[in-house]
Amino acid sequence: MSVWPAWEVREGERATRWLHVRLAFADGARIDALVTVCDGWVCVEDVRARPALALEDLALFADWIEGPLAQACGAETEPDAGDDAGTGAHRQRPAPARNPQERGLVARAYRTAQEKGADPVLAVMDETGYSRRGALRLIGRTRDAGLLPARHARR
């Protein structure tokens, strides 16, 4: 992965930086993005990928760029032993949930929230303690295990 600055705007003590991010994979796939960094927040402004990204891959994009982007901005990060998203890495779906009881918990929380008219993702977040992104991954794995219907299916 490569990160290089595009431009920076300063207003008093506050600075907003725009950065170009490129991920190149061994199979020839490439992802280019423009991100902004300001006050510890990162915003993805534009993403272009060849071939096009599946929604699951787009959800993983933040994980792929998080560490290298933080390093480019001068933040210290914990090394991640599983971080191999650099040049030559293979794109993979996340590993399935290792705990079948967790998938059952996710399915129950999701369905209960749906029945109550509440946000099922928030319910899974509350039940598991995962972030929104982590909860979405768990929900996807639970769907893959057949415990929840496909997203496009209606009740």
Side-chain angles (χ1 to χ4, degrees):
M1 183 174 116
S2 53
V3 178
W4 65 96
W7 62 90
E8 183 173 319
V9 175
R10 291 195 172 272
E11 288 184 56
E13 295 295 314
R14 184 177 172 176
T16 303
R17 297 173 61 192
W18 280 262
L19 303 161
H20 292 286
V21 177
R22 175 171 287 162
L23 281 87
F25 297 90
D27 62 0
R30 189 173 89 191
I31 304 170
D32 291 302
L34 179 66
V35 300
T36 58
V37 179
C38 182
D39 294 332
W41 291 89
V42 175
C43 181
V44 177
E45 300 288 334
D46 184 39
V47 176
R48 295 176 187 214
R50 292 193 196 269
L53 291 173
L55 286 177
E56 293 86 11
D57 289 338
L58 187 57
L60 291 171
F61 179 68
D63 289 338
W64 291 340
I65 68 170
E66 181 177 21
L69 190 57
Q71 288 174 350
C73 294
E76 292 187 22
T77 59
E78 295 287 324
D80 183 5
D83 185 16
D84 63 350
T87 302
H90 296 282
R91 293 173 291 164
Q92 298 178 7
R93 294 199 64 179
R98 291 176 170 83
N99 186 349
Q101 291 82 17
E102 186 175 51
R103 287 184 288 220
L105 176 77
V106 169
R108 280 190 299 280
Y110 190 95
R111 285 193 183 113
T112 302
Q114 271 187 328
E115 291 167 3
K116 292 180 179 178
D119 184 347
V121 177
L122 287 177
V124 171
M125 289 170 61
D126 288 342
E127 196 67 36
T128 62
Y130 281 93
S131 66
R132 182 170 189 80
R133 197 173 356 163
L136 288 169
R137 276 193 215 111
L138 283 174
I139 291 166
R141 291 176 190 146
T142 303
R143 280 196 175 101
D144 291 346
L147 298 174
L148 288 173
R151 287 173 39 168
H152 60 275
R154 294 286 178 203
R155 292 182 272 154

